[in-house]
Amino acid sequence: MKKDTGKNKEITDKWRLQTKLVRGGTYRSEIGETSESMFMTSGYAYDCAEDAAARFEGEQDGYTYSRLRNPTCAMFEDKMALIEGAEAARSTATGMAAMTQAMLSIVKAGDHVVSSKTLFGSCRVFIENILANFGVSCTLVDGDDNEAWKNAFKPNTTAVFLESPANPTLDVVDIEFVCNVAHENGALVVVDNVFATPLLQKPIQMGADIVIYSSTKHIDGQGRCLGGCILTSEEILEENILPLIRHTGPNLSPFNAWVMLKGMETMDLRIDRMCENASKVAHGLRDLGCFETVNYPGFADFKQRDLVEKQMSAGGTVVTVFMPEGREQAFKFLNALEVTDISNNIGDAKSLMTHPASTTHKSVEEEARLGMGITEGMLRLSVGLEHPDDLLEDFAKAAHAAGLKV
Ligand SMILES: *Cc1c(COP(=O)(O)O)cnc(C)c1O
């Protein structure tokens, strides 16, 4: 018997977070490799026709086809489930694949969805416009308004979707409250936990039925690969997710799964440092005193501070900055940056800044965009691993170039 504890749940469940991140879910082949193998294979060969039949029948363990299961993707899924404290996980090609598959697996024509209003652009378009094409209606609520959540349910509401903190406004939703209301109304809750990461917030412990990630962000953490993951119970995976996913094929490439596995080994270190940097940079930006507003969930006077303290273990890695004079000034500021890149990704080791109204949220109509609080002067900053003073010096120069008094 090989010593291979990464897949033994009795052992791995007892490990602390860092050990889980480095060793959880790994499978070692007879070669004895220390770094996980990349199984770049679409199919699997059987010793005899009876074995093939038995595997398709589910009577024999093993792989049949990589759209259904792949060993490298399975290692990533097992590690994610362990970190999240979920019974089951399924990887997808992107975060949007995870989001859309999760939603499509729990709604059908005639159903109604309740969602927070402030969402990542594609999530909002999917909830509001694409689901409508399939006969699923929605009610959008202000995420911080518990009364509005309560009043939004209808007899045909089957699903709730929310992001907290939301992209890009950083609005926070009381996840436990919304889960309780949803369950009283017989609806399942899907939480997009991308901004908080699996390390800072645990939606399943607060009652969420499904958690989704874009692993493109902090999980890869180095801006290399797209990926996604759905985390849920064994029951929902078997009854809802797999019947859709197996026949629609939004799979993560084993190569990308391998990159994500490597990313997870350093995730705790990266998130810790990025949160520390984000806090320093947010305070430093505010101290410059030249912006209309600087917003960061880690601020002591953040408008939903109590809720942040209740459900997050740190303020996260994203900061928003509002330019007093709108788009032109925001563009001037971006164009003057020498360290931080103009880029619309988040969770990268490199600090990245974007103008949501013209990029990530461009596909959302102007009125809806303004309704979410995405103004023409808003900039979203994803803080990376550079020295925070280099970032702050760069921002002060850019502010000057944008005509602000520093
Ligand atoms: C990036 C992002 C997504 C989509 O992820 P992709 O990997 O780009 O498909 C979904 N939700 C949030 C909050 C995001 O930031």
Side-chain angles (χ1 to χ4, degrees), residues 75-344:
M75 286 190 249
F76 171 56
E77 289 157 1
D78 289 351
K79 200 187 280 285
M80 282 296 293
L82 197 60
I83 298 309
E84 192 70 31
E87 286 174 11
R90 176 65 197 230
S91 56
T92 54
T94 64
M96 284 320 299
M99 186 272 178
T100 55
Q101 292 281 322
M103 291 305 293
L104 289 173
S105 74
I106 57 172
V107 297
K108 58 182 189 320
D111 286 352
H112 172 254
V113 171
V114 181
S115 169
S116 49
K117 190 183 277 181
T118 310
L119 302 173
F120 174 60
S122 296
C123 293
R124 171 93 183 220
V125 170
F126 182 79
I127 294 280
E128 206 176 6
N129 307 123
I130 298 179
L131 279 182
N133 295 338
F134 296 90
V136 178
S137 59
C138 72
T139 301
L140 298 170
V141 300
D142 284 322
D144 59 358
D145 184 345
N146 285 356
E147 276 306 303
W149 281 106
K150 264 196 200 161
N151 296 330
F153 286 84
K154 298 182 181 180
N156 60 336
T157 307
T158 53
V160 167
F161 181 77
L162 66 93
E163 279 177 34
S164 183
N167 181 358
T169 61
L170 307 173
D171 291 342
V172 176
V173 176
D174 188 336
I175 299 174
E176 193 175 1
F177 176 85
V178 173
C179 289
N180 286 337
V181 177
H183 294 157
E184 281 163 19
N185 286 278
L188 295 175
V189 180
V190 179
V191 175
D192 179 333
N193 205 36
V194 169
F195 266 44
T197 83
L199 303 193
L200 305 183
Q201 179 167 275
K202 300 281 183 204
I204 287 178
Q205 287 174 11
M206 298 176 225
D209 302 284
I210 302 177
V211 176
I212 63 114
Y213 289 101
S214 162
S215 60
T216 314
K217 314 293 167 59
H218 307 77
I219 293 169
D220 169 10
Q222 286 144 88
R224 299 164 292 195
C225 287
L226 299 180
C229 198
I230 303 171
L231 295 122
T232 186
S233 63
E234 290 283 5
E235 189 188 338
I236 292 175
L237 188 84
E238 289 295 332
E239 299 291 319
N240 301 86
I241 310 284
L242 289 182
L244 177 70
I245 247 178
R246 283 189 176 131
H247 303 292
T248 51
N251 296 60
L252 182 66
S253 155
F255 177 84
N256 291 10
W258 179 83
V259 172
M260 302 299 167
L261 278 167
K262 295 288 106 187
M264 288 180 83
E265 291 184 355
T266 58
M267 195 170 166
D268 180 53
L269 296 171
R270 287 185 289 104
I271 302 289
D272 243 24
R273 179 61 71 85
M274 283 160 88
C275 288
E276 193 186 314
N277 285 356
S279 176
K280 283 183 185 159
V281 168
H283 283 95
L285 284 167
R286 185 183 253 188
D287 290 345
L288 287 177
C290 61
F291 303 109
E292 189 178 285
T293 319
V294 178
N295 205 13
Y296 178 58
F299 280 153
D301 60 356
F302 182 72
K303 64 180 189 311
Q304 294 168 289
R305 183 62 198 166
D306 291 347
L307 199 48
V308 169
E309 275 180 8
K310 180 179 147 204
Q311 61 189 30
M312 293 175 71
S313 58
T317 66
V318 179
V319 180
T320 55
V321 184
F322 292 79
M323 297 289 146
E325 285 169 34
R327 180 181 292 217
E328 203 183 322
Q329 194 172 39
F331 278 22
K332 270 191 196 154
F333 182 86
L334 285 174
N335 292 340
L337 293 172
E338 287 172 350
V339 180
T340 293
D341 292 307
I342 305 169
S343 181
N344 43 276

Side-chain angles (χ1 to χ4, degrees), residues 27-79:
Y27 159 81
R28 190 167 279 168
S29 81
E30 69 280 6
I31 304 289
E33 67 279 2
T34 48
S35 173
E36 290 77 1
S37 289
M38 201 194 303
F39 291 93
M40 289 302 295
T41 182
S42 37
Y44 306 84
Y46 313 93
D47 286 342
C48 58
E50 287 77 7
D51 279 1
R55 275 197 218 168
F56 271 81
E57 199 59 53
E59 290 165 353
Q60 188 183 82
D61 261 357
Y63 295 86
T64 53
Y65 189 58
S66 283
R67 171 153 46 75
L68 308 180
R69 218 163 141 238
N70 170 278
T72 311
C73 295
M75 286 190 249
F76 171 56
E77 289 157 1
D78 289 351
K79 200 187 280 285

